[in-house]
Amino acid sequence: MQTPNRLKPFYENLAFERDDNTMIVNFGPQHPSAHGQLRLILELDGEQVVKATPDVGYLHRGMEKMAENMIYNEFLPTTDRMDYIAATSNNYGYALAVERLLGIEDKVPRRAKVIRTMLLELNRIISHLFWLATHALDVGAMSIFLYCFREREFAMDLMEEYCGARLTHSAVRIGGVPLDLAPGWIEKLRAFITKLPNDIADYEGLLDQNRIWKMRLEHVGVISAEKAIDWGCSGPTLRGSGVAWDIRKEEPYELYDELEFKVPVSDTNDSYGRYKLYMQEMRESIKIIEQLIPMYSKTEPKLMADVPEYISAPKESLMTDNFALMQHFVLVTQGMRPPVGEVYVATESPKGELGFYINSQGEPYPHRIKLRAPSFWHTSVLQEMLVGTYIADVVTIIGNLNIVFGEIDR
Amino acid sequence: MAQHKVNYMADSGLPVALTTVDKLVQWGRSNSLWALTYGLACCAIEMMASGASRYDFDRFGTIFRASPRQADVMVVAGTLTKKHAQFIRRLYDQMTEPKWVISMGSCANTGGMFNTYATVQGVDRIIPVDIYLPGCAPRPETLQYAVMMLQKKIRKQSAFQKAKTKRLV
Amino acid sequence: MRAYQDRKNAQAKVYYKDRFYVSPQLPKEEVDSDEVFAKDLATISKKAEVKEAYIQRGQLVIILENRHDIVAVAKLLKEKLTYTQLSEMSANDFLADRGEFEVFYQFLSMEKRKRLRVKYSIKEDQAVDSLYDIYKSADWAEREMYDMFGIVANEHPNLKRILMPDDWSGHPLRKSYPLQGDEDAQWYEIDTIFGKDYREVVGPEIRDTKRIDPKDTENFARIGKEVPRGANPKDFDENYDDFQEEGGVPLITRFTKKNQKTLTDRK
């Protein structure tokens, strides 16, 4: 029996068993399968979940408030830490939102667009490989974790050669990209995507018709299309319920309207369908990158938009031209002053619809930035999805929904 | 990082003359450090990557265990927020002696880039830390270097020290 | 004299101000330029009083006169006008400028491929009506709005704090809340875990990023040659920077900086 004192207080504040024979289990903020810091308070009747209450906020770092105290360019590395598995998709969403606010979307040079789209699809592959690795680890297939991380390391080597960081990229700037591709990067990318379909086929061969995998994933985590839309789901979670909504196709940005790719949709509404979706999406990303590679050489070497009011000049003219240096100085110390107004831009991150709402009052610091993270809504849908499932399925469902806590709590 | 005055050398039990029994016991402890998975944010991904295929952690004798009772070293990877602070203290108290703490990444060392209302400015305000590992996120090789430094430190300590009051408790 | 702190707006302010620069406004287009939006606006204005409506960057923005109309408008949007998803909702804090909050809702119609924003203003002590019965995604969004701004949603099933701890005081995203937190916030973790008496033991947080201690003579990086804190580097031999001690460790492979290999190609 614990005797509470000042330094060892008694923290148990949840009843263990109640009168109506339901047991309350705390799936605590620190748990190996919780994918971060999810606290689920489950009320169990035997092994079935009667009520589930997710408790989030254990990784709330105050990013939206930070944004009100920094200039627009300064906030870009902070967006990296939202969905830290595919960091460039956050950076790009933010950069696109600011570009639309400033009205310079069509001034982004073509080479920058090609590089950005390549990085976005590479990040999609990285994120889906990570999803498969952790989901399989939770369900019990531990060797898939090691295989997927091996492939992911090759992709992260590519990102590291481009921007210097494996995890928190900041590879995109407002108005373009900071760096051109290194010589030989495209060949390495080509080698990577030539090898990857064989590996995906390996994983599918191991898991697709695997009796245990099918038993654990089929008819688990069922959500109908209307409920999914109502709860704010997007991305593969929504497409797994039969709704064919992909922002890359419906509201195309960057070069997606020139590229040919299919958007897989599954109508089985369960986790197995979503698993098949993720594998198919990886293949589509490979197809997209294959179409982008020949586009690169046809572009002229311009990387940042030419808008002196908001964006600094490229480094060559900064070092030689005095006015460029003066303008760059002002933009870096004071910050650029965008027009007064608000904008909401949604892009298709690997997890779903990632939206940025920016309200600017003409100051160099944004008045309000609201980060719309898909995982926030996918976690709230757990309140509905987990009722009636067994406790072993809880882990499968959490893993299958692809939630990452940097986004939820910001 | 914390501001309170600490005598780091005395708290770690250094320097001290080691007997053979000391050396043997500490050799055993340092080469089978079982780590508690305390991945909180982005550094957790690098911790997982360092335990995965390319940067294997098994060659150090380190297995990631989920239960604090079975773990020797707690690798705090990621941002500690004020909402979570009491749980990390609880888990640290539940670990059995001897225990060490590696603070991985800028957020765990000093609060990192998040100089805000909801972030604990350094995990050493709550628990005592042995090795600080800078980076954002530190590479997997850096984490493994930190584990090797911790192994060196352990081998220099004496094996049978009573639980030193490592500040705050 | 102590520096003047603006309590109404505690956020960082730009140091240099260009007194003569007037920021341009984002262009607001007429609603009639887009037929889909024009029809939607016509249906909505029959139900609720619309103060202003315009198209900005491709999305229709509707500003309502009365905050209680939002439930009727949301029902109309969902049932008749196919805006089936509430992508996002939150508030903007204009208390320092105008004395009101501006609440916005972002709707999405997948059939028409259109996005719509509905806004209205409320005063500090007024509450909004919850959209939980119409759009379930308002559940957590309204909880977050309550947590961050203190705006209460009427008839919400579970209006509790979501991102901050349950016993947190203050509403963080208001402009009057400083970025680094007020006194309750700064000592929160010490108070909960150890108690208020331990504040002096642990000491205040170090929030100054540019702090330099002139008496600090030992905090150098010494990368590769780390020694324990407080030790004199001269006490450690010159091969200390190797991964393992000089003489190696029994039964463990000796790994030095000299015999490490870097792979250039991988298989």
Side-chain angles (χ1 to χ4, degrees), chain B residues 6 11-12 92 97 99-101 127-130 157 163-169:
Chain B
V6 179
D11 277 350
S12 320
Y92 176 77
E97 288 284 338
K99 53 190 173 185
W100 297 274
V101 175
I127 57 180
V129 172
D130 290 292
Q157 290 177 336
K164 288 253 192 244
T165 53
K166 291 188 208 170
R167 69 179 172 274
L168 299 184
V169 175

Side-chain angles (χ1 to χ4, degrees), chain A residues 253-308:
Chain A
Y253 49 92
E254 219 59 357
L255 295 173
Y256 284 112
D257 39 5
E258 297 173 26
L259 297 166
E260 268 185 47
F261 62 101
K262 286 202 274 290
V263 171
V265 176
S266 151
D267 51 2
T268 52
N269 293 14
D270 63 2
S271 306
Y272 188 77
R274 291 193 279 266
Y275 152 75
K276 297 289 292 174
L277 273 190
Y278 279 104
M279 306 305 275
Q280 197 54 32
E281 273 189 14
M282 273 200 268
R283 291 208 165 89
E284 299 294 329
S285 293
I286 296 175
K287 255 200 276 181
I288 295 178
I289 299 184
E290 275 169 10
Q291 292 168 44
L292 284 168
I293 290 180
M295 274 194 209
Y296 173 77
S297 42
K298 298 197 192 88
T299 55
E300 47 169 67
K302 198 158 162 285
L303 295 173
M304 293 281 276
D306 189 14
V307 188

Side-chain angles (χ1 to χ4, degrees), chain A residues 3-22:
Chain A
T3 47
N5 57 24
R6 167 57 59 70
L7 287 168
K8 291 183 169 63
F10 196 63
Y11 284 113
E12 312 307 339
N13 52 6
L14 289 177
F16 188 64
E17 190 168 314
R18 298 202 305 194
D19 289 332
D20 50 356
N21 269 337
T22 54

Side-chain angles (χ1 to χ4, degrees), chain A residues 181-379:
Chain A
L181 298 178
W185 195 85
I186 295 244
E187 279 75 38
K188 291 190 189 137
L189 179 65
R190 198 179 276 133
F192 174 66
I193 60 174
T194 332
K195 185 170 175 288
L196 193 61
N198 305 332
D199 294 314
I200 300 181
D202 279 343
Y203 309 146
E204 287 196 324
L206 279 172
L207 293 174
D208 259 7
Q209 299 300 323
N210 190 331
R211 209 191 304 176
I212 301 178
W213 187 257
K214 284 182 97 152
M215 277 172 73
R216 283 210 68 169
L217 256 67
E218 276 183 344
H219 307 298
V220 160
V222 175
I223 186 162
S224 64
E226 307 87 51
K227 283 222 176 101
I229 298 179
D230 210 21
W231 281 95
C233 297
S234 47
T237 314
L238 189 60
R239 294 198 280 276
S241 301
V243 181
W245 175 257
D246 184 334
I247 298 178
R248 292 178 292 169
K249 283 279 191 206
E250 313 292 340
E251 301 175 337
Y253 49 92
E254 219 59 357
L255 295 173
Y256 284 112
D257 39 5
E258 297 173 26
L259 297 166
E260 268 185 47
F261 62 101
K262 286 202 274 290
V263 171
V265 176
S266 151
D267 51 2
T268 52
N269 293 14
D270 63 2
S271 306
Y272 188 77
R274 291 193 279 266
Y275 152 75
K276 297 289 292 174
L277 273 190
Y278 279 104
M279 306 305 275
Q280 197 54 32
E281 273 189 14
M282 273 200 268
R283 291 208 165 89
E284 299 294 329
S285 293
I286 296 175
K287 255 200 276 181
I288 295 178
I289 299 184
E290 275 169 10
Q291 292 168 44
L292 284 168
I293 290 180
M295 274 194 209
Y296 173 77
S297 42
K298 298 197 192 88
T299 55
E300 47 169 67
K302 198 158 162 285
L303 295 173
M304 293 281 276
D306 189 14
V307 188
E309 207 180 333
Y310 303 125
I311 303 201
S312 312
K315 285 274 190 278
E316 299 82 35
S317 45
L318 274 189
M319 300 298 174
T320 52
D321 191 9
N322 203 8
F323 282 113
L325 183 63
M326 285 157 63
Q327 178 68 350
H328 171 74
F329 180 79
V330 171
L331 284 173
V332 168
T333 51
Q334 286 185 34
M336 56 153 177
R337 288 164 193 269
V340 175
E342 53 184 18
V343 71
Y344 175 79
V345 170
T347 58
E348 179 85 13
S349 92
K351 309 218 154 36
E353 174 186 326
L354 179 68
F356 285 84
Y357 167 83
I358 303 183
N359 183 327
S360 122
Q361 299 293 314
E363 296 288 311
Y365 301 158
H367 184 82
R368 171 94 167 102
I369 290 191
K370 171 86 170 65
L371 312 163
R372 193 259 185 214
S375 309
F376 187 71
W377 272 265
H378 294 176
T379 317

